[in-house]
Amino acid sequence: MSRRTKIENDRKKIIESIKNMDSKKVEDLKKAWEQVNANFGSIFSTLLPGTQAKLVPPEGATFLKGLEVKVGFNGVWKESLTELSGGQRSLVALSLILAMLKYKPAPLYILDEVDAALDLSHTQNIGGMLKAHFKNSQFIIVSLKDGMFNNANVLFRTKFVDGVSGVVRTVNRN
């Protein structure tokens, strides 16, 4: 009987621990969602002025069941991301990725031609957004567009001359 009582007490303690961990998990997930959502909206509106973006739970569900991306232009919310152009969808994806990275920052990021599908104004906005939102991070960015170069601290330009690759380092004075 004493063993049974001990096992029942241990079971109650385990169940209580599981409940505590579950409530902590929900709190942490909610905190992460709120912070990523705020970063997402801020980054996206920097990339596309006059727009809004947010992460919301599906209709009739909680955030624990998943989140949907909602995008608005001057207060008019789109029903679906398919209503956006390819460049706008690229900016939504980049904003969401960077918002998640900002939640758990790293000291160094490498981006390879994230501006390939974008026009020059959006490329310039990416550079400005990185300077504004990621002041304590370093970025290595591969790009072929001048708009990104204007925001760089240091440029490494590669060129191929007479069968030999060369690298030229330039410090941006801006």
Side-chain angles (χ1 to χ4, degrees):
M1 289 304 279
S2 74
R3 284 186 192 172
R4 181 179 175 176
T5 305
K6 184 176 184 341
I7 290 172
E8 286 175 354
N9 288 337
D10 289 346
R11 181 179 182 272
K12 287 177 186 175
K13 288 178 185 176
I14 291 171
I15 289 172
E16 187 64 32
S17 294
I18 290 171
K19 286 180 183 176
N20 288 339
M21 285 190 283
D22 281 346
S23 66
K24 174 96 169 94
K25 174 186 75 172
V26 169
E27 288 174 25
D28 289 347
L29 284 171
K30 186 173 183 180
K31 179 183 167 192
W33 165 42
E34 290 170 347
Q35 192 169 355
V36 169
N37 188 37
N39 292 337
F40 178 50
S42 177
I43 289 170
F44 188 68
S45 65
T46 303
L47 292 176
L48 271 174
T51 62
Q52 306 83 33
K54 61 184 176 180
L55 300 170
V56 296
E59 194 171 320
T62 69
F63 69 94
L64 297 173
K65 296 291 182 188
L67 296 169
E68 295 177 347
V69 174
K70 296 290 183 185
V71 177
F73 291 83
N74 297 318
V76 178
W77 294 92
K78 300 293 183 182
E79 292 295 318
S80 169
L81 294 180
T82 58
E83 296 179 42
L84 304 178
S85 70
Q88 290 168 336
R89 280 186 263 174
S90 294
L91 292 176
V92 168
L94 180 63
S95 298
L96 183 56
I97 291 167
L98 291 174
M100 289 187 287
L101 292 175
K102 194 168 180 181
Y103 178 70
K104 291 284 188 180
L108 177 71
Y109 300 99
I110 301 172
L111 303 177
D112 186 9
E113 292 193 54
V114 294
D115 59 345
L118 304 176
D119 60 25
L120 184 59
S121 66
H122 295 319
T123 299
Q124 289 173 333
N125 289 347
I126 290 173
M129 179 276 302
L130 292 176
K131 275 191 166 184
H133 289 276
F134 291 88
K135 293 180 185 201
N136 297 322
S137 298
Q138 294 182 16
F139 284 84
I140 296 174
I141 300 174
V142 177
S143 178
L144 300 173
K145 297 187 177 181
D146 288 334
M148 196 66 80
F149 304 157
N150 298 337
N151 291 292
N153 295 331
V154 177
L155 292 173
F156 291 93
R157 297 179 189 261
T158 59
K159 58 184 174 180
F160 194 69
V161 179
D162 298 328
V164 178
S165 292
V167 177
V168 177
R169 181 182 192 269
T170 308
V171 175
N172 198 349
R173 302 277 185 226
N174 296 5

